[in-house]
């Protein structure tokens, strides 16, 4: 059995145990037993109902977990009898017998009403009260109870009661010892241990019960456990068999997918193809044969594993059979993959054998149709089309070669035929493109003529001489490409015609683009020249003066480092004006009738206008600089004010808090003061270094704020340390009065911590002072705790003395009461006890 099967059986057994566990606070079906401890199972409760229902005297059984929730007292026997007496008075009718069981305390009590019919029956039948038989009941109960069968013990004790009540009346002698040894009969009661009915000797003053065995043997759970185990085993074998069958079905499905095709390929197809000795066909057949052989060998291994798995299943070793069947499935899968490889290798051979006739016929038809179309095109154009004819001849020769190699190498024959067919398709397309190429050549000649006309028109209308970029070279390339295309058309060189026409189109487009550029330059240079002239006449001189004035203001008020990046703006504007005048003169020269450098003139104007735009941006930065520096100066003044406030507040906090600052905090404050003095000096410099002043003031404000926060923290620690030390001194002075109760050295710790805290506080070590003060408070509380422990110990000793005295008094009273007004016993499973209203007794097991 596998581990999973064992787990399944264990789980089922555990389920049986859980089902058989008792429920808490259960009551028996007939209401005879009230199991408040939750100890008995439903089966045990039913057993008690069945055993106690048929007796002459009604019974009530109360089972509790413990009668003493606070712990077992010294006089547990007496108190348990009192507890059972209260239950009798509260919950049991006068005609019934109460059996009280405390499982945790191992105590039992048997009790009836003193003036009830059961006690009277004992007096009538045996001449004794019910309590006189409590020892016999306890003896009958102890045997099964000590073996763990508490319900059996209750039934055995009940049989003792039934033996007395159901017996005929007898004469009972005085229970006191008789001086004469003459025996006399007494009521019978069961022996403490179960036995078969047999005669037993009688002693003076008592009768031995010889009735049937009072103890009902407990139910045996092992048949149920065995049944469940067998059921679990059956379930396991069923599941294992089903899983094996599933694995078998999967293996057969994989085998059936390929085995038929593998055998057909090996036995029918490959032998037919082995007659071909051509290189390409032989290579395909050899590869397919090798793959088939390997696949067949692997399939045989898989079949052996399958048969082995079936043998395991025959002997009901289903787990081993399933594992072996999985191995067989994997082997079948490998064989299937090899079969697919063989199919791929064999596929070209099958294709050649099946499609040869159709393929060669289709290719022959294509070549014949292409030859007919070629002849018709020669007649239509009058051209020889020798290149197309040569290509047609090559494809016809390849088809002839394919037909001749069919018998030896069908794979090669089909490949050659299909290649010839593909070439025939390309040849037919090129032949069909000849009319279109003729038309394209005519259209290209018209395009070249239009480009030449556009050049001539620009020369006449605009007087252009195309000095920088002449259009003649592109036009010459166009003409050369057209002549080459016209030369390649008659022999039918279609590819060469296409390339020449593409070159001709690109060259003619280039000539057209040159004319368009010149026309655009002629249109743009007057507008751009006028725009630059307007800037020179109006904007540039005023901007130069604005830049000079702004620089003068900056030079007078702020340090050079704050405006160094814009110091050359005025000079750049003056220099640009001179260069712009020269550029305008140069443009006028370039565009003159004798020069005509229109493209260069437009490029020069574009450069000058771009520089003009950049100078405008620099001027904007320059004019915004004074305001920005003023804003920095204002920020510096605000930072200095914040720095001053932080330093003043830090000094006030340190003074008011009587703080001794640590070295690191004092160093922070010194750094802030130095920064403050430096920033003040920088703010008084003329011209003002605005950037440096603002940075220094901001850094100083940040340092001062951090220093102020540190001073506040030190002041908080100092105040906390002083308050904690004062509290420690107050609590310590009060706690030292309990020094004589100290056993742990708290007084010495308290004095040392107070002295250490005062020294640390005076030295400015506030953290250490706070820790020492807290240590002193803990030591003071330790002294107080020692005193409380002493007081508690004294009170506990007094309480135990009182409890012992009270227990002794109650025991004496109970003893006196039991001898004076009740019949029964108590103590350790047999000592008498109870009130004057009940009769009974019990003890421990």
């Amino acid at each position: 059995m596998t581990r999973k099967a064992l787990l399944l059986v264990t789980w089922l057994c555990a389920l049986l145990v859980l089902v058989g566990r008792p429920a808490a606070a259960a009551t028996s079906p007939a209401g005879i037993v009230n199991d408040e401890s939750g100890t008995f199972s439903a089966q045990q409760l039913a057993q008690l109902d069945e055993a106690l229902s048929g007796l002459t005297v009604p019974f009530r059984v109360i089972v509790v977990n413990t009668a003493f929730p606070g712990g077992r007292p010294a006089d547990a026997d007496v108190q348990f009898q009192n507890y059972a007496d209260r239950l009798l008075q509260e919950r049991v009718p006068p005609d019934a017998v109460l059996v009280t069981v405390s499982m945790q305390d191992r105590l039992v009590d048997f009790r009836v009403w003193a003036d009830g019919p059961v006690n009277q029956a004992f007096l009538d039948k045996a001449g004794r009260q019910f309590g006189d038989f409590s020892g016999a009941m306890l003896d009958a109960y102890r045997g099964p109870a000590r073996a763990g069968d508490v319900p059996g013990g209750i039934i055995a004790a009940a049989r003792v009661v039934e033996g007395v009540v159901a017996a005929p009346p007898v004469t009972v002698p005085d229970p006191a010892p008789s001086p004469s040894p003459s025996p006399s009969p007494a009521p019978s009661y069961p022996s403490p241990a179960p036995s078969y009915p047999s005669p037993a000797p009688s002693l003076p003053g008592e009768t031995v019960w010889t009735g049937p065995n009072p103890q009902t043997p407990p139910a045996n759970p092992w048949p149920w456990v065995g049944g469940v185990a067998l059921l679990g085993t059956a379930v396991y074998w069923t599941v294992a068999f089903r899983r094996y069958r599933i694995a078998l079905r999967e293996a057969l499905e994989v085998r059936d997918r390929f085995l038929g095709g593998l055998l057909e390929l090996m036995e029918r197809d490959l032998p037919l193809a082995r007659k071909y000795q051509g290189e390409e066909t032989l290579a395909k057949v050899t590869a397919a044969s090798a793959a088939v052989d390997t696949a067949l060998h692997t399939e045989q291994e898989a079949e052996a594993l399958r048969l082995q798995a079936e043998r395991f299943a025959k002997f009901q070793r289903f787990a081993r059979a399933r594992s072996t069947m999985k191995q067989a499935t994997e082997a079948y899968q490998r064989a299937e993959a090899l079969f697919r490889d063989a199919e791929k290798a064999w596929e070209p051979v099958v294709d050649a054998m099946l499609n040869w006739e159709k393929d060669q016929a289709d290719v022959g038809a294509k070549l014949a149709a292409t030859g007919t179309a070629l002849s018709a095109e020669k007649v239509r154009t009058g051209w020889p089309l020798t290149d197309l004819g040569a290509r047609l001849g090559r494809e016809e020769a390849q088809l002839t070669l394919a037909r001749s190699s069919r018998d030896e190498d069908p794979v090669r024959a089909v490949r050659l035929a299909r290649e010839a067919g593909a070439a025939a398709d390309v040849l037919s397309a090129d032949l069909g493109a000849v009319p279109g190429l003729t038309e394209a050549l005519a259209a290209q000649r018209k395009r070249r003529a239009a480009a030449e006309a556009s050049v001539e028109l620009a020369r006449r209308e605009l007087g252009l001489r195309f000095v920088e970029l002449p259009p003649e070279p592109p036009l010459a390339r166009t003409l050369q490409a057209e002549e080459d295309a016209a030369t390649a058309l008659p022999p039918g060189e279609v590819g060469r015609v296409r390339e020449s026409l593409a070159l001709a189109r690109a060259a003619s487009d280039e000539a057209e683009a040159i004319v368009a550029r010149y026309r655009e330059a002629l249109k743009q240079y007057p507008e751009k020249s006028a725009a630059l002239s307007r800037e020179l006449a109006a904007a540039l001189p005023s901007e130069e003066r604005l830049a000079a004035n702004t620089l003068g203001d900056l030079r007078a008020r702020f340090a050079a480092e704050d405006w160094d990046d814009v110091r050359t703006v005025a000079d750049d504007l003056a220099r640009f004006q001179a260069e712009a005048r020269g550029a305008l003169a140069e443009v006028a020269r370039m565009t003159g009738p004798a020069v005509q450098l229109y493209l260069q003139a437009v490029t020069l104007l574009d450069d000058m206008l771009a520089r003009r735009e950049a100078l405008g941006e620099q001027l904007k930065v320059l004019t915004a600089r004074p305001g920005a520096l003023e804003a920095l100066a204002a920020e510096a003044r605000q930072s200095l004010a914040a720095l001053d406030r932080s330093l003043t507040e830090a000094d006030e906090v340190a003074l008011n808090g009587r703080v001794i600052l640590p070295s690191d905090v004092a160093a922070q404050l010194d750094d802030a003061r130095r920064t403050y003095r430096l920033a003040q000096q920088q703010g008084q410099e003329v011209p003002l270094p605005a950037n440096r002043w603002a940075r220094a003031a901001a850094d100083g404000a940040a340092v001062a704020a951090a220093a102020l926060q540190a001073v506040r923290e030190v002041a908080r620690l100092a105040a906390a340390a002083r308050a904690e030390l004062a509290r420690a001194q107050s609590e310590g002075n009060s706690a030292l009065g309990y020094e004589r109760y100290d056993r742990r050295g708290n007084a010495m710790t308290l004095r040392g911590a107070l002295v250490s805290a005062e020294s640390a506080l005076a030295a400015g070590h506030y953290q250490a002072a706070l820790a020492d003060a807290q240590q002193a408070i803990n030591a003071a509380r330790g002294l107080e705790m020692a005193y409380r422990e002493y007081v508690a110990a004294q009170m506990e000793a007094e309480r135990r003395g009182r409890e012992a005295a009270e227990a002794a008094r109650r025991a004496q009273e109970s003893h006196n009461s039991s001898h004076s007004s009740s019949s029964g016993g108590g103590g350790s499973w047999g000592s008498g006890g109870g009130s004057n209203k009940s009769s009974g007794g019990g003890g421990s097991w």
Side-chain angles (χ1 to χ4, degrees):
M1 185 180 293
T2 64
R3 183 172 179 269
K4 291 183 178 179
L6 290 174
L7 289 176
L8 177 62
V9 173
T10 304
W11 177 82
L12 292 171
C13 295
L15 180 62
L16 177 65
V17 173
L18 289 175
V19 171
R21 288 185 61 186
T27 303
S28 65
I32 295 176
V33 184
N34 186 10
D35 182 14
E36 298 178 1
S37 66
T39 303
F40 296 165
S41 65
Q43 181 182 2
Q44 290 172 324
L45 292 173
Q47 174 190 359
L48 281 170
D49 270 355
E50 182 181 358
L52 300 179
S53 297
L55 300 180
T56 305
V57 177
F59 274 81
R60 294 292 183 271
V61 181
I62 298 177
V63 183
V64 297
N65 187 41
T66 178
F68 314 108
R72 185 184 178 105
D75 55 344
D77 292 346
V78 175
Q79 293 196 29
F80 184 67
Q81 293 174 15
N82 295 334
Y83 174 77
D85 190 56
R86 289 194 300 273
L87 292 178
L88 177 73
Q89 298 176 31
E90 295 172 0
R91 301 169 62 175
V92 181
D95 62 341
V97 177
L98 171 64
V99 182
T100 308
V101 181
S102 177
M103 299 301 298
Q104 182 176 329
D105 305 314
R106 299 181 65 82
L107 292 172
V108 67
D109 184 89
F110 312 94
R111 191 161 300 276
V112 298
W113 287 84
D115 55 354
V118 180
N119 195 39
Q120 186 62 42
F122 267 75
L123 291 173
D124 294 342
K125 297 295 183 70
R128 300 180 185 178
Q129 295 195 44
F130 180 86
D132 294 337
F133 288 86
S134 61
M137 297 177 217
L138 180 60
D139 291 341
Y141 174 86
R142 273 178 175 157
R146 287 177 176 173
D149 183 15
V150 174
I154 295 172
I155 295 172
R159 298 289 185 183
V160 174
V161 177
E162 181 71 8
V164 175
V165 174
V170 295
T171 303
V172 182
D174 189 352
S178 173
S180 64
S182 59
S184 60
S188 61
Y189 56 88
S191 61
S195 61
Y196 294 99
S198 61
S202 299
L203 297 177
E206 63 180 53
T207 300
V208 178
W209 181 78
T210 59
N213 182 16
Q215 182 178 357
T216 302
N220 187 6
W222 289 109
W224 290 92
V225 175
V228 172
L230 290 175
L231 176 62
T233 304
V235 170
Y236 163 72
W237 289 120
T238 302
V239 172
F241 175 73
R242 180 174 178 80
R243 295 174 70 181
Y244 158 72
R245 294 293 298 177
I246 292 174
L248 174 60
R249 184 170 64 250
E250 292 176 353
L252 294 178
E253 287 177 356
V254 175
R255 186 194 67 177
D256 295 343
R257 281 201 305 260
F258 74 92
L259 184 58
L262 177 64
L263 295 176
E264 183 179 354
L265 183 62
M266 179 188 68
E267 296 174 356
R268 188 192 69 182
D269 296 338
L270 286 176
L272 293 176
R274 288 194 175 95
K275 64 181 180 179
Y276 299 115
Q277 300 300 316
E279 181 180 356
E280 295 185 19
T281 304
L282 184 61
K284 299 295 183 182
V285 172
T286 302
S289 299
V292 165
D293 292 342
T294 308
L296 186 62
H297 179 71
T298 306
E299 188 274 336
Q300 291 172 353
E301 293 178 354
E303 191 68 13
L305 289 171
R306 184 183 65 81
L307 295 176
Q308 184 180 7
E310 290 181 351
R311 286 194 295 273
F312 285 138
K314 182 178 180 181
F315 293 99
Q316 297 184 355
R317 299 174 63 182
F318 298 119
R320 183 69 179 274
R322 175 173 172 266
S323 175
T324 307
M325 193 61 72
K326 283 188 173 182
Q327 297 177 11
T329 303
E330 293 174 357
Y332 280 135
Q333 290 172 347
R334 293 194 298 272
E336 183 182 15
L338 291 168
F339 170 66
R340 302 305 174 197
D341 294 340
E343 282 187 323
K344 290 180 181 179
W346 174 249
E347 184 177 357
V349 181
V350 176
D351 180 47
M353 295 169 65
L354 296 178
N355 298 321
W356 159 254
E357 295 296 336
K358 178 179 179 301
D359 287 349
Q360 64 91 19
D362 291 344
V363 173
K366 287 180 182 180
L367 293 176
T370 303
T372 302
L374 180 60
S375 300
E377 190 65 20
K378 288 179 180 179
V379 172
R380 186 186 69 82
T381 60
W383 295 336
L385 301 177
T386 53
D387 184 73
L388 294 176
R391 290 168 59 186
L392 177 61
R394 287 196 296 271
E395 304 314 324
E396 290 175 343
Q398 184 166 337
L399 178 59
T400 302
L401 177 63
R403 287 169 175 167
S404 64
S405 60
R406 166 67 180 82
D407 294 336
E408 289 294 325
D409 200 344
V411 173
R412 179 169 181 265
V414 169
R415 178 180 62 79
L416 292 174
R418 289 175 179 172
E419 290 176 356
D425 292 336
V426 176
L427 177 60
S428 178
D430 290 346
L431 181 61
V434 170
L437 292 176
T438 305
E439 296 175 0
L441 178 58
Q444 174 55 39
R445 286 171 174 166
K446 292 179 181 179
R447 186 181 294 108
R448 175 177 53 81
E452 292 174 347
S454 178
V455 171
E456 292 301 322
L457 181 62
R459 284 196 175 104
R460 289 195 309 269
E461 291 182 352
L462 303 178
L464 282 174
R465 293 186 290 111
F466 299 102
V467 177
E468 299 123 315
L469 199 59
E472 286 78 11
L475 290 174
R477 291 198 303 273
T478 301
L479 181 59
Q480 179 63 37
E482 290 172 357
E483 292 176 353
D484 187 64
T487 304
L489 265 176
E493 298 177 11
V494 176
R496 179 181 165 191
V497 172
R498 291 191 178 111
E499 293 177 0
S500 299
L501 288 178
L503 292 175
R505 281 194 298 271
S508 60
D509 291 342
E510 182 180 351
E512 290 280 2
I514 291 173
V515 174
R517 286 183 63 185
Y518 270 95
R519 288 183 179 276
E520 186 67 21
L522 285 170
K523 178 182 176 182
Q524 288 181 355
Y525 90 86
E527 298 175 359
K528 294 181 178 181
S529 178
L532 185 58
S533 299
R534 286 193 300 270
E535 293 291 328
L536 284 172
L540 285 170
S542 60
E543 289 181 0
E544 182 184 358
R545 290 191 297 273
L546 177 59
N549 294 334
T550 304
L551 285 170
D553 181 43
L554 289 172
R555 191 176 292 109
R557 296 167 55 197
F558 299 102
E561 64 193 60
D562 292 332
W563 46 271
D564 185 67
D565 57 325
V566 291
R567 68 169 58 244
T568 62
V569 173
D571 296 338
D572 292 341
L573 285 170
R575 189 181 308 110
F576 178 75
Q577 293 182 67
E579 292 177 358
R581 293 187 184 94
L584 287 173
E586 181 65 15
V587 167
R589 185 191 67 80
M590 288 179 178
T591 57
V595 181
Q596 291 192 359
L597 299 175
Y598 298 113
L599 300 180
Q600 296 180 26
V602 172
T603 302
L604 179 58
L605 289 172
D606 287 339
D607 293 341
M608 297 304 294
L609 291 174
R611 288 179 58 191
R612 169 68 186 93
E613 186 177 357
L615 285 173
E617 295 298 326
Q618 291 183 8
L619 181 63
K620 290 179 183 178
V621 174
L622 173 61
T623 53
R625 185 60 54 86
L629 294 178
E630 286 290 350
L632 284 175
E635 291 178 5
R637 294 186 188 95
Q638 293 176 359
S639 298
L640 277 178
L643 174 57
D644 185 39
R645 287 194 301 271
S646 297
L647 291 174
T648 302
E649 186 176 353
D651 293 337
E652 291 176 355
V653 170
L655 180 62
N656 295 335
R658 293 173 289 125
V659 173
I660 300 175
L661 295 177
S663 58
D664 55 341
V665 179
Q668 278 185 293
L669 284 175
D670 291 341
D671 290 342
R673 291 189 180 95
R674 283 194 296 271
T675 305
Y676 179 66
R677 289 193 295 271
L678 177 62
Q680 281 184 322
Q681 293 174 2
Q682 290 176 346
Q684 295 172 0
E685 293 180 10
V686 178
L688 180 67
N691 278 289
R692 279 191 294 119
W693 186 31
R695 286 196 300 271
D699 294 343
V703 173
L708 174 59
Q709 185 64 30
V711 171
R712 287 173 178 167
E713 180 63 20
V714 172
R716 186 191 64 78
L717 282 175
R722 291 191 184 96
E724 195 75 0
L725 179 58
R727 187 157 69 93
Q729 290 172 342
S730 175
E731 293 187 13
N733 292 333
S734 300
L736 285 174
Y738 307 128
E739 185 175 0
R740 63 180 179 277
Y741 305 108
D742 183 24
R743 296 295 183 270
R744 300 184 181 89
N746 288 316
M748 183 178 298
T749 302
L750 172 61
R751 292 188 178 93
L754 288 174
V755 172
S756 178
E758 291 173 355
S759 301
L761 187 63
H765 302 154
Y766 302 116
Q767 196 74 268
L770 186 61
D772 291 336
Q774 291 173 348
Q775 183 182 11
I777 290 173
N778 293 334
R781 292 175 180 173
L783 288 173
E784 294 177 358
M785 183 60 68
Y787 172 69
R788 293 193 189 97
E789 290 175 355
Y790 169 76
V791 173
Q794 294 297 321
M795 294 177 66
E796 179 67 17
E798 293 176 1
R799 185 186 65 79
R800 290 179 179 174
R802 289 194 299 272
E803 288 180 352
E806 180 66 18
R809 183 184 63 79
R810 286 200 303 268
Q812 185 61 37
E813 290 178 354
S814 177
H815 179 71
N816 295 337
S817 175
S818 64
H819 280 282
S820 62
S821 59
S822 67
S823 176
S828 301
W829 296 114
S831 59
S835 70
N836 56 5
K837 295 183 179 181
S838 65
S839 176
S844 62
W845 77 88

